[in-house]
Amino acid sequence: MCGRESREFWFHPAHQGCGEASGGRAESIRLVLIGPPGVGKGTQAALLCRRYQACHLSTGDLFRAAACESELSAAMQAALVAMRRGELVSDELVMDLVRERCTCLACQGGFLLDGVPRTLPQARALVELLAELEATLDGVVLYELAETEIVARICGRRTCATCKAVYHESACPPAKPGACDRCGGSLMQRDDDRPEVVVARLAAYRAATRPLSDFYAARGELIPVAAHGSPEEICERTCQALAARRTAPRC
């Protein structure tokens, strides 16, 4: 298993850390995390990854960091070309990227998928891929939070223009207003964190991504988790819900 916070295995499909024995750990985990933008999926993925020592496979991390890599797969190169044209990365191309990481998906240490699937075609393709790998999901965690709270959470974010450190006006403010604690750079609000953009992103989520909850609920794999409170509280809530699912009798 990988068991690392580094995402380097996203760029190197033949990564050798995956596929190893789980080293005698008591449990492994295979999860998909879904929910609206700003609900905290990335934070929870990092916490759960540390707890279960699983591979964290994040398409968001992949796309953000890919421009800094010199050696990319054909699928990743094609995805970047589409993004630079302002186009959406197709379902087929997204799943090509995931398929390149079959070793991570088959890893006995488990995995957390964050950012994929986003659409029903991707979800169906993932079901087929996991069946090929003889891997079974432990569940699909749906993080739920009131839309008003999501808007406040995202719109309060401020990002350092120099080092890209992230703050929040109320939840995690800098020591000096408007200045980064780390490097002293100016803090700014990203264009996609502005209220009108956030509302549009949430509308797009409802239209395109939310049907995933119906798909996974019908398969008996959905685990709704309330996403209010501190990250640690949400993580503990997630683990309790997962434990309850594992011990519940199956039909």
Side-chain angles (χ1 to χ4, degrees), residues 202-215:
L202 290 172
Y205 164 76
R206 288 194 301 271
T209 310
R210 195 160 186 174
L212 288 175
S213 62
D214 294 333
F215 174 79

Side-chain angles (χ1 to χ4, degrees), residues 29-249:
I29 193 170
R30 292 187 176 95
L31 284 181
V32 169
L33 307 184
I34 63 175
V39 80
K41 295 186 296 296
T43 299
Q44 290 308 306
L47 291 173
L48 291 166
C49 182
R50 292 192 203 109
R51 180 156 183 163
Y52 293 101
Q53 299 184 358
C55 298
H56 177 193
L57 306 182
S58 166
T59 53
D61 286 342
L62 173 65
F63 292 143
R64 282 188 290 270
C68 301
E69 288 286 321
S70 58
E71 296 183 10
L72 297 173
S73 68
M76 188 68 250
Q77 291 178 35
L80 286 180
V81 168
M83 293 170 65
R84 287 165 181 160
R85 290 175 176 168
E87 303 169 357
L88 292 175
V89 181
S90 69
D91 291 332
E92 182 179 2
L93 194 49
V94 168
M95 293 312 299
D96 283 345
L97 291 169
V98 174
R99 185 174 285 276
E100 286 181 341
R101 277 75 195 171
C102 282
T103 309
C104 287
L105 296 180
C107 174
Q108 293 187 40
F111 63 80
L112 287 90
L113 274 175
D114 165 23
V116 63
R118 287 185 181 273
T119 66
L120 286 178
Q122 290 177 21
R124 295 187 179 107
L126 179 61
V127 168
E128 294 178 359
L129 176 56
L130 292 177
E132 291 175 20
L133 298 173
E134 298 183 346
T136 303
L137 285 177
D138 290 299
V140 176
V141 177
L142 169 63
Y143 287 112
E144 300 177 311
L145 191 65
E147 212 164 277
T148 53
E149 191 167 344
I150 292 175
V151 173
R153 182 181 289 184
I154 296 178
C155 294
R157 288 192 305 210
R158 296 295 183 269
T159 304
C160 176
T162 304
C163 73
K164 309 306 178 184
V166 178
Y167 299 84
H168 192 276
E169 288 186 322
S170 59
C172 184
K176 180 181 177 181
C180 177
D181 294 344
R182 184 185 301 172
C183 71
S186 298
L187 302 185
M188 62 179 187
Q189 185 180 47
R190 298 187 328 187
D191 287 342
D192 57 353
D193 286 347
R194 299 185 185 282
E196 63 276 15
V197 178
V198 173
V199 170
R201 289 170 63 195
L202 290 172
Y205 164 76
R206 288 194 301 271
T209 310
R210 195 160 186 174
L212 288 175
S213 62
D214 294 333
F215 174 79
Y216 285 117
R219 291 177 56 83
E221 295 173 333
L222 195 68
I223 305 174
V225 173
H228 58 78
S230 70
E232 292 74 20
E233 289 171 339
I234 299 167
C235 181
E236 187 59 34
R237 201 176 295 138
T238 303
C239 294
Q240 291 175 359
L242 179 60
R245 170 180 165 78
R246 283 177 160 177
T247 57

